[in-house]
Amino acid sequence: MSIRNPNVDKKIRAFLYRAIHGSVRVGTYWENIPQYEHRAWCNVCDTIETLEHIQTECRASGQEVIWKLADEILENRGVETGHLSYGDTLGCALANFRKENGKPDTALNRLYTIVISESLYLIWLIRCEWKIENDGDINKIAHKNEITSRWRHRINRRLKIDQAMATKTAYKWKKITKSLVMRTWKGTLQNEELLPEDWTRASGVLVGAGAAERPPGRNR
C-alpha cells in the first residue's frame, strides 16, 4: 500500500490514511457539532471546506506557494507536475517514473514522493493553524515568505536525514545507500556544481528552489 512507503514520514502516513478513508475532520463533519458549525465553511473562499479545496484551491492554506515550490524542484528533474489532480497527490507514494531502458527510476520516484508528501502535509498544517489556532482570522493568513521558509525547512530536514543515513554504518534496518541518496537529490541542490563529489558528509548542503505565486484556484 502507498501509505506504507518508507519514503513517507510516519506522521504524513497517518494523515494520508485518514484522508484516503475520509476520516479527516473537515467540512460537513463540523455541521453537526454544536458551536463549531462555522468550521465547515471556508470564510475566505466562501465555500464548503473539503480536503480537495484546502489542497488545490484555498487562498488561505498556502497551497499556491507550496505547489509552485514543489513544481520548481521537480521540474529540475524533468517532471512536469502542473497536471496533477488531488487524487494524484494522495497517491504520491505510487510514483512510477522509469528510465529510458524501461527500468524504474528509484531515485526520481523517491524524490517525487518526498516532495509531494511533505508539501501536501505542510498545506494541511498551515490550514489547521489558521483555521483552528487563529480561528480563521483573515488577518492571520500565513505570508508567502513564511510559507516558503517553512517549506524549505521541511525539505531540507529530509535532505539532512538522508545525509545522516548515508553516512551511518550499515545495519539490518538501513535501506538507504549513499548512492541512492546522491541520486535522489541530484539536480536539486544549491550551488551543486561547487559541492564536493561526495557531499553526504558536507555541512550546509541545502535544496535550492525559488518561490513565486501561482494563480489562485489552479486545479492540480
Side-chain angles (χ1 to χ4, degrees):
M1 294 176 63
S2 64
I3 56 175
R4 294 181 180 175
N5 189 315
N7 297 315
V8 180
D9 182 271
K10 288 183 178 180
K11 289 184 178 180
I12 303 178
R13 288 186 221 170
F15 171 72
L16 286 173
Y17 179 89
R18 293 169 58 209
I20 292 170
H21 292 86
S23 60
V24 179
R25 298 176 179 180
V26 294
T28 55
Y29 169 87
W30 296 106
E31 291 182 339
N32 298 315
I33 310 296
Q35 300 181 19
Y36 290 96
E37 297 90 344
H38 63 284
R39 287 187 179 176
W41 202 256
C42 177
N43 59 309
V44 171
C45 304
D46 195 29
T47 186
I48 194 75
E49 188 182 57
T50 64
L51 270 181
E52 183 170 3
H53 170 74
I54 293 167
Q55 292 288 336
T56 66
E57 301 172 344
C58 188
R59 298 194 299 274
S61 67
Q63 58 87 21
E64 294 111 317
V65 176
I66 290 171
W67 288 129
K68 178 61 178 178
L69 288 163
D71 286 346
E72 289 179 355
I73 192 173
L74 291 172
E75 284 172 2
N76 288 338
R77 294 289 295 274
V79 177
E80 296 291 336
T81 60
H83 65 285
L84 290 181
S85 67
Y86 169 62
D88 289 332
T89 62
L90 291 185
C92 60
L94 297 174
N96 190 29
F97 298 103
R98 293 183 176 273
K99 301 177 182 179
E100 292 183 358
N101 60 12
K103 294 183 178 180
D105 192 333
T106 305
L108 183 55
N109 288 333
R110 188 168 182 271
L111 176 67
Y112 177 90
T113 296
I114 290 172
V115 170
I116 298 299
S117 64
E118 292 287 343
S119 296
L120 69 86
Y121 191 58
L122 178 57
I123 292 170
W124 172 247
L125 292 179
I126 290 174
R127 172 268 178 195
C128 288
E129 291 167 7
W130 172 71
K131 186 83 170 186
I132 309 300
E133 295 179 20
N134 295 319
D135 201 29
D137 186 340
I138 60 174
N139 295 313
K140 294 184 178 179
I141 294 174
H143 190 271
K144 171 184 172 181
N145 291 341
E146 176 192 347
I147 296 167
T148 300
S149 177
R150 291 182 63 176
W151 182 86
R152 286 177 173 164
H153 176 77
R154 291 195 69 91
I155 301 301
N156 281 313
R157 168 182 166 273
R158 293 299 303 269
L159 171 61
K160 292 183 185 302
I161 291 173
D162 268 11
Q163 284 185 278
M165 291 290 288
T167 56
K168 283 186 178 293
T169 303
Y171 291 102
K172 292 181 179 179
W173 49 264
K174 182 178 178 182
K175 298 181 180 179
I176 302 176
T177 65
K178 180 183 296 186
S179 173
L180 178 58
V181 168
M182 296 184 71
R183 286 184 289 114
T184 296
W185 299 99
K186 180 180 180 181
T188 71
L189 306 177
Q190 289 182 9
N191 301 316
E192 191 165 342
E193 68 281 0
L194 302 179
L195 295 175
E197 183 176 352
D198 178 7
W199 49 258
T200 58
R201 294 181 180 274
S203 61
V205 180
L206 299 171
V207 170
E213 300 282 357
R214 81 173 0 175
R218 175 179 172 181
N219 187 354
R220 306 187 79 262

